């Protein structure tokens, strides 16, 4: 990673393995990331352009290595009940997806409609609110459908980042750039790393669009 894939006055995006040079992102002030969960994800989306799997999703090795490099500082980390929570988790937030998520086990009379967000470290600020965050996900088949299997909606990311301590936001699993786009729209500095170049391209395009992407309320 000799030069950033994208850079502007507030955001820097690197293309490569985030663990190859952790110094690129560990100097930030808060970590907000959606790592590979470790569930061997396979998408059933009908969109041929949406990836069927996630790099490094066979286990939690990548997640745990990143958190070890980050230490005990403030972090918000997406995950699932299907695997052990990160060491040092202080609280679990629930992202209520308004009934929209995967199919789940078809032999059960319930379907999944939430994901988990783990709170680690200290220093979070803002008004005290519920631990259930209700936002529609980015739909896969809509006009502005998701470009990444786990792409998170901007309003959800805004809610999370707004309560992070002041300073730079880091996302070592940047994906399609939702964390970086939201941080930029909130006037926060941010740094991200993404292994897959096609997602770097998507993230760079979103970041170059400026604040237009911040209006993703229903489509994302």
């Amino acid at each position: 990673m000799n030069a950033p894939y994208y850079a502007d006055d507030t955001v820097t995006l690197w293309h490569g393995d985030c663990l190859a040079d952790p110094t690129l992102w560990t100097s930030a002030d808060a970590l907000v990331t959606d790592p590979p969960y470790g569930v061997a994800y396979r998408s059933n989306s009908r969109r041929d352009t949406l990836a069927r799997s996630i790099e490094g999703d066979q286990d939690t090795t990548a997640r745990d290595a990143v958190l070890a490099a980050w230490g005990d500082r403030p972090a918000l980390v997406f995950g699932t009940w299907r695997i052990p929570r990160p060491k040092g988790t202080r609280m679990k937030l629930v992202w209520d997806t308004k009934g929209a998520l995967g199919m789940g086990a078809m032999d059960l009379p319930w379907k999944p409609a939430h994901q988990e967000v783990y709170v680690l470290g200290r220093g979070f600020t803002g008004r005290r609110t519920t631990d259930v965050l209700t936002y529609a996900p980015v739909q896969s088949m809509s006009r502005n459908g998701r470009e990444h299997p786990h792409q998170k909606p901007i309003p959800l990311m805004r809610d999370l980042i707004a309560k992070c301590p002041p300073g730079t936001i880091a996302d070592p699993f940047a994906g399609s750039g939702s964390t970086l786009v939201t941080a930029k729209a909130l006037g926060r500095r941010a740094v991200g790393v993404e292994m897959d170049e096609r997602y770097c391209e998507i993230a760079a395009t979103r970041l170059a669009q400026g604040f237009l992407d911040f209006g993703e309320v229903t489509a994302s």
Side-chain angles (χ1 to χ4, degrees):
M1 292 184 280
N2 296 323
Y5 189 92
Y6 171 91
D8 59 30
D9 291 342
T10 58
V11 177
T12 304
L13 173 64
W14 298 88
H15 171 224
D17 184 347
C18 62
L19 293 169
D21 186 0
T23 62
L24 295 175
W25 51 273
T26 52
S27 61
D29 300 285
L31 183 79
V32 180
T33 194
D34 186 15
Y37 291 173
V39 296
Y41 170 85
R42 291 290 296 175
S43 172
N44 293 318
S45 172
R46 290 172 290 169
R47 282 182 56 194
D48 293 335
T49 57
L50 196 61
R52 301 293 181 184
S53 60
I54 303 290
E55 180 75 23
D57 195 40
Q58 283 65 47
D59 53 41
T60 63
T61 298
R63 182 199 73 177
D64 295 342
V66 159
L67 292 179
W70 182 252
D72 60 357
R73 294 178 294 146
L76 297 173
V77 182
F78 282 87
T80 172
W81 60 271
R82 295 166 60 189
I83 58 172
R85 295 169 183 158
K87 182 180 179 181
T89 295
R90 298 187 60 214
M91 185 175 186
K92 177 193 73 177
L93 307 179
V94 174
W95 171 30
D96 170 12
T97 63
K98 295 187 175 182
L101 202 58
M103 297 300 293
M106 298 303 293
D107 63 334
L108 294 174
W110 305 275
K111 73 172 199 172
H114 79 279
Q115 290 187 19
E116 297 182 349
V117 185
Y118 307 119
V119 181
L120 296 88
R122 301 178 184 275
F124 297 97
T125 62
R127 184 170 63 90
R128 191 173 173 83
T129 56
T130 177
D131 61 357
V132 177
L133 311 176
T134 304
Y135 295 102
V138 185
Q139 299 298 326
S140 62
M141 299 299 290
S142 64
R143 180 174 59 86
N144 294 317
R146 66 177 181 265
E147 302 287 349
H148 186 285
H150 285 180
Q151 185 173 333
K152 298 301 186 285
I154 295 294
L156 169 65
M157 301 310 297
R158 176 175 51 191
D159 196 334
L160 294 172
I161 292 174
K163 293 189 176 182
C164 287
T168 301
I169 301 294
D171 187 354
F173 301 103
S176 60
S178 294
T179 298
L180 306 181
V181 168
T182 307
K184 180 176 180 177
L186 289 172
R188 302 285 296 263
R189 292 189 176 277
V191 57
V193 185
E194 172 52 41
M195 183 178 294
D196 194 322
E197 187 170 4
R198 59 183 161 166
Y199 295 136
C200 285
E201 182 178 359
I202 292 168
T205 299
R206 297 176 73 192
L207 288 163
Q209 290 174 347
F211 292 175
L212 294 176
D213 215 332
F214 203 50
E216 293 180 342
V217 176
T218 56
S220 24

